[in-house]
Amino acid sequence: APPIAAAARQIRVGVAALVRSAAHPGCVLLHRRRGRGETERLGMGAYGLPGGHLEYGEEWDECVRRELLEEAGVEPFALRVGTVANAVASRIGAPPGEDFHYVCVFLTCSIDEEPRNLEPERAADWEWHRWDDLPSPVDARLGQLKRSGFDPFAFAETE
C-alpha cells in the first residue's frame, strides 16, 4: 500500500453514546447515515451510534450531551464510560483507501424522552434496536464494539 501522507496520519478522538431507555428495554438508539453525493464516506448507509468528535478541552460526557442535543434534541442522564476502542482502518476491515485511526470512547447513558431527527440531511430517523439483534449493515466502530462482546446493559442505570 502507498504511504499515507503525514497530514492524514493524525489520530482523532471520537465519542459515541450507547443510549438506553426504560421505554425500550434491551435496545440501543441507532440511525442510518445518509450518503452525500457521489463520494460516500466509510459508514454511509450503515447504522451507527450517536456521537462525534471530541472538541478541544471538552470532557467525554460533555461531548455526548452536546451531540445528543444537536442530533436528537434529548438530554441524557446516568452517563458512564463503558469502554474505549482503538479503531485503525486496516484492522477493522475498512475498504482500501479509507485510512483512519480513531480512539473511540463509548459512553452508556439513558434518556426518558423520544429522540427527534434534527439532522435529516446527515441521517435517517432514529430507531431503537435490540442489542442482541442489530440491523445490517452497521458502521465499523459499532461492528468492532459488538464483536468485542461489550454489554451496554451490564451497568444499566435509568435514574
Side-chain angles (χ1 to χ4, degrees), residues 10-154:
Q10 296 178 0
I11 299 171
R12 305 283 312 261
V13 178
V15 179
L18 289 139
V19 181
R20 305 167 306 218
S21 170
H24 304 278
C27 295
V28 294
L29 187 63
L30 302 177
H31 65 186
R32 192 167 196 160
R33 295 188 182 145
R34 295 189 193 281
R36 295 184 189 173
E38 294 181 28
T39 57
E40 292 188 351
R41 294 186 337 224
L42 178 67
M44 292 301 167
Y47 287 91
L49 299 166
H53 294 105
L54 188 67
E55 294 183 359
Y56 183 83
E58 191 174 43
E59 297 291 336
W60 297 325
D61 61 330
E62 292 171 339
C63 181
V64 165
R65 289 179 201 284
R66 176 180 53 78
E67 291 289 348
L68 282 171
L69 196 58
E70 290 174 2
E71 296 176 2
V74 296
E75 294 274 351
F77 59 94
L79 287 88
R80 173 181 255 167
V81 173
T83 190
V84 178
N86 190 36
V88 179
S90 61
R91 291 192 205 142
I92 60 176
E98 291 289 351
D99 298 311
F100 63 82
H101 183 174
Y102 272 90
V103 173
C104 190
V105 181
F106 294 92
L107 280 82
T108 59
C109 64
S110 296
I111 59 174
D112 57 9
E113 55 191 316
E114 288 301 313
R116 302 180 317 272
N117 187 358
L118 300 181
E119 296 180 335
E121 71 286 356
R122 296 181 69 195
D125 288 340
W126 294 103
E127 301 173 9
W128 293 100
H129 290 276
R130 292 198 53 79
W131 181 249
D132 58 8
D133 188 26
L134 293 179
S136 184
V138 295
D139 67 20
R141 68 181 177 176
L142 180 54
Q144 180 183 24
L145 181 66
K146 184 68 173 159
R147 286 187 302 277
S148 78
F150 179 75
D151 179 3
F153 300 97

